[in-house]
Amino acid sequence: MSDHGDAIDVGRIHHVDEFEAFAEQRLPAATYGYVAGGAGSEGTVRHNRASLDRLRLVPRVLRDMTEISTAATVLGSKISHPLIVAPSAVQRLAHPDGELATARAARDAGLLMILSMNASTTVEDVCATGVRCWMQLYFSLDLDHMGSIVARAEAAGVEALCVTVDHAGMPTRVRELHRPLEIPPEVTFVHLPVDPAKRGVNRALNWEHIDWLAAHTDLPIILKGVLHPADAALAVEHGVSGIIVSNHGGRQLDGTVSAYDVLPAVLDAVGGRLEVFADGGIRSGTDLLKTLALGARAGLVGRPVWWALAAAGEAGVARMLGLVTEDFVAAMRLCGVVDTSRIGPDLLWRD
C-alpha cells in the first residue's frame, strides 16, 4: 500500500506528469515499477509518446470561439469530454479508497470509467457511486465464472463489456523480475475465480469466445488491444460495437506499433461500422485533440490515474482529469474548433 503522509495541495500541480514524482515517493518500489514499467526494454512505452509527439497541430485562426462544445457521443450517449478512464488493476495498492476514489472523480467530471476485472473493489460498489461504467474482462479458464461476472456487471448497471484481447501470453517485464509485486492480504482481486488454478491466461481465447459472450449478454461489446486492421475488420464481422486501438500501454509486447501509427488504417478497415477509441501515452488535452484528429471517437488515460490516485486519492484524480479536460478546451480554442465532431485530420502535420 502507498504511504500517504502529508496531504498534497493538488492546486499546485499544473501538469499531469507532475503527479508521477509524488507517486514514486509514496509507493513501494515494486508497486511503482509494476505500473511504470513495460515489456522488454520498454521501447514500446517510449514509442507511444514519441508517436504522439511527432504529430504536430496546424491551428485555424479568425474563428468565433465564444462558445464551444466539448461533449462527445459514445455508444449513443453523451459524456462531457471525449476522455475515458482506462482500466487498471488493484487500485487499492495506490490508495485505500482505490477504485471508489477514481469512480467518484470520473463521475463528478462527467466522464466514463472502465473498471478492471483485476480490480480491488467490486463492480457493485463502483456502480453504486453513480459513475458511468464499462466492465473490462479478461477471459479466465472458467466460463461459468465468466458468465457470473457478466451477470453481476449487468445487474450493477454497467453500460458495456470491454474484453482485453492482447493477453495471449505473459510478457517479460524486467522491473517486475527485479522487484516482484507484492499484494498485501487486505487487498484482493474481487472478480477473479476463487480457484487460483483457473485464474491464468486463457491461451485458447479466439473469436468463438467473443461469439459466446455475445450470446450471454445484451450489452455492447468492446474489444481492447486491437492493432492490426485485419483484426479490426473481423471485429466488424463478429458484431462488436467498438474497438480500442491499443498496445496495452507498452506492457505486453515490446517493439509494437502505437495506436497512433495504425489508427488511419484501422479506420479504413472498419469503415464506420463500429466505434473506434485509442490509448497509449495521453498526458494532456493536446494529446487528446491529436487522438481525435486521427479519427478516434475518444481517448483513454491510464497510468496518470494511478499516479494521481497514489499522490492524493480522489482529489488527485479529480485534479488530473481536470488538467487534461481544461487543456483540451484550450487546445480546441487555439485550433479554432468549436465542436468535437469538427476535429479532423486537417489539423495535423506529421514530422
Side-chain angles (χ1 to χ4, degrees):
M1 299 285 284
S2 60
D3 174 14
H4 283 272
D6 296 332
I8 293 172
D9 179 5
V10 296
R12 298 180 65 182
I13 294 179
H14 300 294
H15 192 277
V16 168
D17 287 343
E18 295 174 29
F19 281 106
E20 185 173 355
F22 288 106
E24 186 173 10
Q25 293 171 5
R26 295 187 169 206
L27 291 170
T31 306
Y32 172 78
Y34 167 73
V35 180
S41 68
E42 300 183 354
T44 301
V45 178
R46 295 188 294 274
H47 178 66
N48 283 342
R49 274 305 322 167
S51 62
L52 265 175
D53 289 339
R54 279 198 299 271
L55 294 169
R56 316 303 291 179
L57 292 168
V58 187
R60 299 299 303 274
V61 298
L62 296 175
R63 295 181 170 185
D64 183 354
M65 301 305 298
T66 307
E67 299 290 338
I68 69 169
S69 173
T70 63
T73 301
V74 172
L75 298 184
S77 59
K78 283 191 174 182
I79 52 177
S80 66
H81 296 75
L83 181 69
I84 297 172
V85 175
S88 57
V90 278
Q91 291 184 12
R92 289 187 60 220
L93 291 179
H95 188 277
D97 292 341
E99 292 84 359
L100 289 179
T102 301
R104 291 190 290 258
R107 175 200 64 199
D108 293 347
L111 301 177
L112 176 71
M113 171 186 179
I114 307 177
L115 178 67
S116 174
M117 185 165 173
N118 288 340
S120 48
T121 307
T122 66
V123 64
E124 292 86 356
D125 287 345
V126 167
C127 286
T129 66
V131 70
R132 303 269 304 282
C133 186
W134 295 353
M135 179 77 185
Q136 181 258 355
L137 301 175
Y138 285 109
F139 260 83
S140 73
L141 301 172
D142 186 343
L143 286 184
D144 289 338
H145 177 75
M146 292 302 301
S148 71
I149 292 296
V150 170
R152 285 177 59 185
E154 290 175 331
V158 305
E159 298 179 14
L161 301 174
C162 177
V163 185
T164 293
V165 295
D166 60 355
H167 205 263
M170 294 303 296
T172 299
R173 297 178 187 157
V174 176
R175 296 199 207 202
E176 292 179 44
L177 293 175
H178 284 296
R179 290 191 176 93
L181 180 67
E182 296 182 3
I183 309 291
E186 67 270 21
V187 177
T188 58
F189 293 90
V190 295
H191 300 124
L192 297 187
V194 175
D195 183 356
K198 295 183 177 180
R199 294 184 178 184
V201 173
N202 189 340
R203 290 185 173 85
L205 184 64
N206 60 67
W207 291 103
E208 291 181 0
H209 290 83
I210 304 305
D211 296 338
W212 175 90
L213 181 59
H216 284 76
T217 186
D218 292 325
L219 292 175
I221 296 171
I222 312 296
L223 304 185
K224 183 177 185 294
V226 175
L227 287 171
H228 201 294
D231 288 331
L234 284 169
V236 173
E237 292 180 18
H238 286 266
V240 305
S241 297
I243 57 174
I244 300 171
V245 184
S246 169
N247 59 28
H248 212 115
R251 295 174 59 79
Q252 291 302 92
L253 178 64
D254 204 14
T256 65
V257 293
S258 77
Y260 317 106
D261 296 327
V262 299
L263 256 175
V266 167
L267 289 161
D268 285 345
V270 304
R273 293 170 291 175
L274 50 70
E275 297 187 10
V276 177
F277 311 93
D279 75 5
I282 291 175
R283 298 292 182 269
S284 68
T286 302
D287 292 338
L288 182 59
L289 191 146
K290 291 177 182 180
T291 303
L292 268 65
L294 282 170
R297 185 172 289 263
L300 280 67
V301 61
R303 286 183 178 91
V305 175
W306 248 84
W307 304 145
L309 187 62
E314 181 181 342
V317 180
R319 177 63 174 169
M320 184 277 296
L321 294 175
L323 288 171
V324 176
T325 54
E326 289 163 16
D327 188 54
F328 181 67
V329 171
M332 284 182 65
R333 291 188 186 279
L334 291 168
C335 282
V337 183
V338 298
D339 189 281
T340 54
S341 65
R342 302 188 189 184
I343 299 172
D346 60 301
L347 293 176
L348 291 178
W349 184 280
R350 287 183 181 269
D351 282 352

